Amino acid sequence: MNTTRCLVTVMMVCLAASFKILAGPVSLTRYALVVGSNTGDAERRELKYAVSDAESFARVLMELGGVRQDRCMVMKNPDKRGFLRGLGRLKTAIHNEKALQGRKEVVIYYSGHADERGILLGREGFAYKEIRDTLHQMGVDVRIAVLDACASGSFTREKGGTHRPPFLYDMSTVTEGYAFLTSSSADEVSQESDAIRSSFFTHYLVSGMRGPADANRDGKVTLNEAYEFAYDETLQRTEKTSAGPQHASYDIRLKGSGDLVLTDLRTSSAVLRLMPALTGRIFVHDAQGHLLVELSKSPGKKLEIGLEPGEFEVLVHSSDGVSAGNILLKEGGVTEVTGSELHKVKQVAHRLRGAETMVDDSYARIPFNMSFLPQLSISGRYNKTKVYASLSLLAGMTEWLHGAELSSGISVVTETMTGVQVASIATLGGEVTGLQLSGVANLVKGSVKGLQIASVVNTSTSGLTGLQLSGAVNFSGKDVAGGQVASAANHLQGNLSGVQLSGGYNFSGGAIRGIQIASACNVANESSTGIQITGCTNIAPAGFAGCGIAGGVNVTGCMTGLQIAGGINVTGDFIGIQIAPVNISRKMTGLQLGVFNICDTVDGVPLAVFSYVRSNPPRYRVYLDEAGFVTAGVRSGGEYFYSLLSLGTTTVSLTGYQWYFGAGFGARLPVKKGYFAVESMANQVHVRNVWDLSPVFHVRNSVIYAYTFTPGFSLWVGPSLNIGIAWREGKMRNSYREVTYERHLQHWHAYWPGITGGIEL
């Protein structure tokens, strides 16, 4: 069944500085930012395949498109702030390598929701004009942007783009200009398919880039060849869908001549060569069953597909039926498929695009089965079985279960289970909808929609919609929508929408939209939104929006919200509130509350004993006050709010010399030749030594003006209001008068006006 993604759109932008055809080849440096966002909202349903489409596009760029892994950034479900950070990192990477010779290219890919104004990142939009402006500012020779998104046909319509068949340019060089391509027009519906687990246009664009689009068989797939292949295949495969046909369109303005090479098959680490005798509709799956390439092949010609080394399944649908076989590709080699390597099969479930899982008449339907072992059962042993109810003593096995199976040992359903599996040792499944309950392990090689409960481990290789509850470990190879609860660990390779609760650690290889709670560690590998709570460490390297609470350390790439740690908060750009003994950030906007604060820049309030801001280094003071104290101090923090530390001494005392240390805070207002400031200092005054058991506490509140002679030298002075607090009756000698303390409850208080002034370096 095909699901609608609104308008799934592809836009490619190419601005190229070229070379003459007689000139030798030039070196090429290509960068990529690849973004996939499944995130929906109240008006738009959550997408299924935007993130996996982005991963497929990034994979083909790194394998065949000349993009090194360290120059390819992949972002999953970012918000607008995260997307902007990605664009910033891309621009920085290009700038850092500006000395490299040769042509530079940048590729930006986005798959997700959009409207007529721009792409949608969570609840925020990013306008098409901003995309064009960003591409223009990248500082490279060639710019390519691919948008696989809703309603972005409006992008080409703004510039006069039309609904046309594929374009072809076959000349030597391109000097400058642009090309905008969309997978559908603004008034058409673009589609994604459950059968191929992808959007139609991206699936065929990536398929073509692996080799099938190489029309002239020169070992290179150009922009025009890839577009022509994707245009034809998308139109052909959507003509009979309920949403209607999908036409690609474009608007192109290029000066010069020639075409841009997207992928070079000659750089592939392994090649699958389809020989002339092979004909029909051909599908290539990897070892995990993912559909990588789909094409139609005519007889009489060879066709090469660039892949990574490994084992692949090749299926051929022709007038003679369906053939299939496993092919092993070796590093650096070319493996030929003539057809003799394949064997006939009756039917292949969920392989053809545009259809749901098919029913194979070769299944034997068994209403009830009882078995000791799979080979010893009351129903006998068929090649394939569909069982509706089963009872097994040691082990039971069927391809298809619709109902319930109870086993005192192991229950195995190799393809599809809908209902209930209960086993004292383990349950094994292909695709599961319902309940799995076992004494040791539930193991599923496909996806789970429902509930898994085990005393040791639950696994779901292709994702989970529901709940995993385990006495030890839960694992999901792809996205989880629901929850994972385990006493030891939850490990998720994809994205989390829901809750991870663990007595040990939680890990999400993608983004989280929800809550992670663990005693030891929480990890969200991609930009995330929600809550992380742990007794030790929270980690979100790509960024986090929400709340992070840790008994030890919070570490995030960038953060918006609240961070509380018993030890250290470490983040990049931060907006919100940080509370910890030590707070470290790159750019701080908001409030930092701790003992030590460290950041590059601050736009907010850093409250700490000592705040180091690299853009506003500490200033050192020497000053006097009316009590006769000579004090050395340091002012540290931001432009407007800062911390104070002081250490002083005096010999003007009724009891001999006194000394004190103190800390405080201040707020300053810069003016043309200095600044005004309001400061409050709390000092602990000791007589003779620090072991004085009855120190006097002195609070000085002052208003000062500092005049700056040079950037490194200022004089300041101002009046003060002083408060003294003692735990025994006594007096304190000031330089100009004696202050008598008056008893108030259990303390003695004194109040007096004063003056303070000094130098600041």
Side-chain angles (χ1 to χ4, degrees), residues 368-371 389-396 401 403-411 420-424 427 437:
F368 175 76
N369 186 41
M370 180 179 290
S371 65
S390 178
L391 178 64
S392 62
L393 298 179
L394 290 183
L401 174 67
E405 180 168 45
L406 177 63
S407 173
S408 61
I410 299 174
S411 172
V420 178
Q421 271 184 295
V422 180
S424 62
T427 67
L437 176 62

Side-chain angles (χ1 to χ4, degrees), residues 147-222:
L147 266 69
D148 182 346
C150 307
S152 55
S154 303
F155 188 88
T156 55
R157 190 169 60 182
E158 290 177 10
K159 295 291 185 177
T162 58
H163 167 74
R164 288 176 283 189
F167 62 88
L168 288 174
Y169 288 89
D170 202 19
M171 294 168 281
S172 59
T173 62
V174 174
T175 57
E176 60 181 12
Y178 64 80
F180 300 150
L181 287 79
T182 65
S183 67
S184 60
S185 60
D187 56 354
E188 284 183 337
V189 175
S190 294
Q191 304 155 55
E192 63 178 8
S193 169
D194 287 334
I196 60 174
R197 296 179 178 271
S198 175
S199 70
F200 283 107
F201 196 93
T202 293
H203 172 64
Y204 288 115
L205 179 65
V206 172
S207 290
M209 290 168 66
R210 288 195 174 276
D214 182 16
N216 59 5
R217 301 293 180 263
D218 63 351
K220 296 176 289 185
V221 177
T222 66

Side-chain angles (χ1 to χ4, degrees), residues 654-655 696 726-733 738-743 747-750:
L654 297 176
T655 56
V696 174
W727 272 259
R728 63 184 179 185
E729 187 176 6
K731 298 179 180 180
M732 187 174 88
R733 165 72 85 179
E738 207 174 80
V739 177
T740 301
Y741 284 73
E742 298 179 357
R743 183 164 184 168
H747 307 97
W748 281 261
H749 292 182

Side-chain angles (χ1 to χ4, degrees), residues 646-659:
S646 63
L647 179 65
T649 184
T650 181
T651 58
V652 182
S653 172
L654 297 176
T655 56
Y657 75 87
Q658 296 176 334
W659 71 278

Side-chain angles (χ1 to χ4, degrees), residues 364-372 377-380 382 385-393 397-398 400-407:
R365 291 172 172 81
I366 301 172
F368 175 76
N369 186 41
M370 180 179 290
S371 65
F372 183 75
S377 66
I378 63 173
S379 63
Y382 295 88
T385 58
K386 290 184 177 181
V387 175
Y388 295 88
S390 178
L391 178 64
S392 62
L393 298 179
M397 177 181 290
T398 182
W400 193 91
L401 174 67
H402 189 97
E405 180 168 45
L406 177 63
S407 173

Side-chain angles (χ1 to χ4, degrees), residues 2 13 19 45 66 88 252 285 321 348 369 390 407 430 457 462 465 468 544 559 577 590 593 608 687 699 725:
N2 297 325
V13 185
F19 50 89
R45 64 183 298 178
I252 182 167
H285 300 261
V348 180
N369 186 41
S390 178
S407 173
V457 61
S462 297
T465 301
Q468 286 179 322
F544 199 86
M559 176 79 182
I577 300 174
L593 180 60
V687 178
V699 178
I725 304 173

